[in-house]
Amino acid sequence: METVCDPACVNGECTAPNTCTCDDGWTGDICNEAVCDPTCVNGECTAPNTCTCDDGWAGDICNEAVCDPACVNGECTAPNTCTCDDGWTGDICNEAVCDPTCVNGECTAPNTCTCNDGWSGVTCNDAVCDPECEHGDCTDTNTCTCDDGWSGDICDEAVCDPECVD
């Protein structure tokens, strides 16, 4: 007499009336539930030790978040969510942070300013005059503000009152 299992065993053998003995990697009353060891974290076990990942997850056990586009200077910690490294910001961690901010330039790396032409200094707030101001301060790109008693483009002409005598 043949043993009967109703419903029939899917991934196993009917060994007693309505009793299934499952093949390796399968469980459940009719051996239709796959076993994954370790278990799938963000997905479903669809065959023995085979995970089908939920959207936004990857890896053998679906525990690796996927970011598209990828994080540039940070880590993908959840689907399409980047956690930025220190000194970086933005949706994909591609925007450098400068503190203090760059005045006349661009923040190109954490706390690193690349100055516009005519500017220098850590925050690009020092004007550059070429040639240098002789008796005054460079207050804007190639613009000298002369000390009292001096004039000219680079503050090299004495101002005398009354007129200077050689």
Side-chain angles (χ1 to χ4, degrees):
M1 178 165 181
E2 186 176 314
T3 308
V4 175
C5 288
D6 187 22
C9 303
V10 178
N11 295 293
E13 183 179 328
C14 187
T15 55
N18 292 322
T19 303
C20 296
T21 299
C22 298
D23 296 338
D24 285 343
W26 295 94
T27 191
D29 291 342
I30 60 170
C31 305
N32 64 337
E33 299 169 24
V35 176
C36 288
D37 186 22
T39 59
C40 305
V41 178
N42 296 291
E44 182 182 344
C45 186
T46 53
N49 292 320
T50 302
C51 295
T52 299
C53 298
D54 296 337
D55 285 344
W57 295 95
D60 291 342
I61 61 170
C62 303
N63 64 337
E64 301 168 16
V66 175
C67 289
D68 187 21
C71 306
V72 178
N73 296 292
E75 182 180 344
C76 186
T77 53
N80 292 320
T81 303
C82 296
T83 299
C84 298
D85 296 337
D86 287 343
W88 295 94
T89 191
D91 290 343
I92 60 171
C93 305
N94 64 335
E95 299 169 26
V97 175
C98 288
D99 186 23
T101 59
C102 305
V103 178
N104 295 294
E106 182 180 344
C107 185
T108 54
N111 293 320
T112 303
C113 296
T114 299
C115 299
N116 297 335
D117 288 343
W119 296 93
S120 68
V122 173
T123 61
C124 303
N125 65 336
D126 297 327
V128 175
C129 289
D130 187 20
E132 291 183 24
C133 306
E134 289 192 19
H135 299 281
D137 295 317
C138 186
T139 54
D140 200 352
T141 303
N142 290 323
T143 302
C144 294
T145 299
C146 299
D147 295 337
D148 287 341
W150 296 93
S151 68
D153 289 342
I154 61 169
C155 304
D156 61 343
E157 300 169 14
V159 176
C160 298
D161 190 21
E163 197 170 308
C164 300
V165 178
D166 289 335

